[in-house]
Amino acid sequence: QGIRALRGALEGRYGCEIPLGHPVIPWLVLHASFLHNRFQLGHDGRTPYQRIKNKPFNRPLVEFGELVLCKKPKMEIGPGLYKYDDRWSEGLFLGIRPSSNEAWIGTVEGTIRCRTIHRKPISERWKMDKLQEVPGVPWAFGAPDLPGPTTEEELCPIVDGHQLGGDASAEGETA
């Protein structure tokens, strides 16, 4: 339910249908599980987070896929950081990292973790071009796209759940 609700909200904000193969979908699934663990009340009236930590989750959140300003950590910038360098950049909010409560932000350069984010004005929060620039998926931050089948995999037929390695007649299959 949470995944469908988040996807519907995201599609409503951007005014288009988000295909299942879009790189933002795996982030959406991770964020849905995060929200479930932090806010879904159990039979005892407590969330899973409250049962473990003995306190409610109290960090403010922004809506999934919202364009925000994030303050890049010094470690992300590297040794060339100077006092006059700008550490703020624009990116899409992709969720919260459960182990450290850092925000995952999708920027043009890649996906980064940061602690400080600021919301943009309402008129600037939902830009389609920024959604198209989501650089990667949770298992490959800089990957431009989801991995697809190779040309050989596309051309090889699947029979009885097994992929044939070439012509079906060469494997002893007959019509």
Side-chain angles (χ1 to χ4, degrees):
Q1 289 177 345
I3 296 169
R4 286 193 299 263
L6 281 176
R7 184 177 178 192
L10 188 64
E11 289 175 347
R13 291 291 191 178
Y14 282 103
C16 68
E17 187 173 322
I18 310 289
L20 191 58
H22 193 280
V24 80
I25 296 296
W27 291 105
L28 186 138
V29 172
L30 279 179
H31 189 59
S33 69
F34 171 84
L35 292 176
H36 177 81
N37 288 328
R38 295 304 187 273
F39 301 110
Q40 184 68 40
L41 292 177
H43 64 284
D44 60 353
R46 298 174 61 182
T47 66
Y49 185 84
Q50 283 177 307
R51 285 188 209 107
I52 293 171
K53 301 278 188 178
N54 265 343
K55 63 182 180 179
F57 181 77
N58 60 2
R59 180 175 178 180
L61 294 175
V62 298
E63 199 169 335
F64 180 82
E66 183 176 324
L67 191 60
V68 295
L69 291 173
C70 64
K71 187 176 182 181
K72 292 181 184 178
K74 292 177 183 177
M75 296 295 290
E76 289 286 333
I77 298 171
L81 176 66
Y82 298 104
K83 292 278 186 187
Y84 60 87
D85 287 343
D86 187 19
R87 289 178 51 194
W88 291 91
S89 69
E90 212 174 48
L92 284 181
F93 176 76
L94 298 174
I96 299 287
R97 185 175 182 219
S99 60
S100 63
N101 285 335
E102 294 170 301
W104 288 115
I105 305 293
T107 66
V108 176
E109 298 90 31
T111 304
I112 61 169
R113 300 181 317 223
C114 69
R115 292 204 173 272
T116 307
I117 59 174
H118 287 290
R119 297 183 95 171
K120 294 181 71 77
I122 293 173
S123 61
E124 298 176 21
R125 290 183 186 170
W126 311 99
K127 292 186 178 179
M128 181 59 80
D129 58 331
K130 296 294 182 184
L131 182 66
Q132 299 301 336
E133 293 174 358
V134 173
V137 290
W139 55 88
F141 295 167
D145 213 352
L146 287 173
T150 64
T151 307
E152 284 182 6
E153 290 172 338
E154 288 178 355
L155 298 177
C156 295
I158 297 177
V159 177
D160 295 331
H162 293 63
Q163 190 167 7
L164 300 178
D167 188 13
S169 61
E171 296 288 329
E173 299 286 328
T174 58

